[in-house]
Amino acid sequence: MIDEISVVISAITLIILVINQFRIIKDKEPQLLFCLRSINKRIYLKVKNSGYTKAKNIKIDIIKIYNNGKNKVEEDQIFQIPFELSAQEEVQGMISELGGDDKRHVFPYITIKVSYIKPHFNRYVNYERQVFYYASAEEKLSVNLANKKDLS
C-alpha cells in the first residue's frame, strides 16, 4: 500500500515538474513588438524582440500603408530578407516618407504579415496585424543659446 502511494505521489510530482518546465520555456519565447515612428519626415518601423530567446528567420511583409497622403511603401532592405533578433535586440528600417505637412497632420498605420521561428521545438509562427504610428518627440532638440539675454 505504501509503495502504491509513493508511486502515485512520484507520478503527480513528475507531471507538475513537466508542466512547470513548459511554462518556463513559454515565458522565455521570443515576443516581437512593433512601433511606427517618424524621424526627419520619414516613417520607420521598429521591431524589438522582448523575449529571452532568439527569434529566427523573421520575415516582415508590409502589405499596405494607410492614412499617409499620397506616399506609398518604400521599405528598406532589412524587410526584404529574413533576419534574426536575439533576446532584447531591436532593429528599425524606413518604410515610407511621412505624408503630412505643417497644415495637415497624418497618423499612418500599416498592415504587416509576420513570420518567424521560435527556437524551442522549432515552432513556426505566422500572423497578420496592424501597427499604428506613435507620434512622439523623441528627436533631439537643440537650443540656440547665442542670443540669450542676461535676466539678472
Side-chain angles (χ1 to χ4, degrees), residues 52-101:
Y52 293 102
T53 55
K54 183 186 301 186
K56 298 179 181 179
N57 201 28
I58 302 169
K59 181 72 176 122
I60 299 172
D61 294 321
I62 301 170
I63 298 170
K64 189 171 181 181
I65 189 166
Y66 304 90
N67 195 22
N68 192 34
K70 295 178 183 178
N71 295 347
K72 303 295 180 199
V73 174
E74 301 172 28
E75 61 188 355
D76 273 343
Q77 295 267 334
I78 186 73
F79 300 121
Q80 296 174 2
I81 57 171
F83 61 97
E84 61 182 46
L85 289 174
S86 295
Q88 304 301 317
E89 190 174 29
E90 60 186 56
V91 67
Q92 74 178 19
M94 189 187 92
I95 61 162
S96 180
E97 299 286 331
L98 186 61
D101 54 28

Side-chain angles (χ1 to χ4, degrees), residues 15-26:
I15 291 170
I16 291 172
L17 180 65
V18 168
I19 291 171
N20 284 336
Q21 288 300 316
F22 278 118
R23 285 184 183 163
I24 290 171
I25 289 172
K26 185 140 181 80

Side-chain angles (χ1 to χ4, degrees), residues 97-116:
E97 299 286 331
L98 186 61
D101 54 28
D102 292 337
K103 295 178 183 176
R104 194 181 103 240
H105 296 286
V106 294
F107 289 93
Y109 65 97
I110 58 174
T111 300
I112 59 174
K113 188 175 190 178
V114 180
S115 61
Y116 64 97

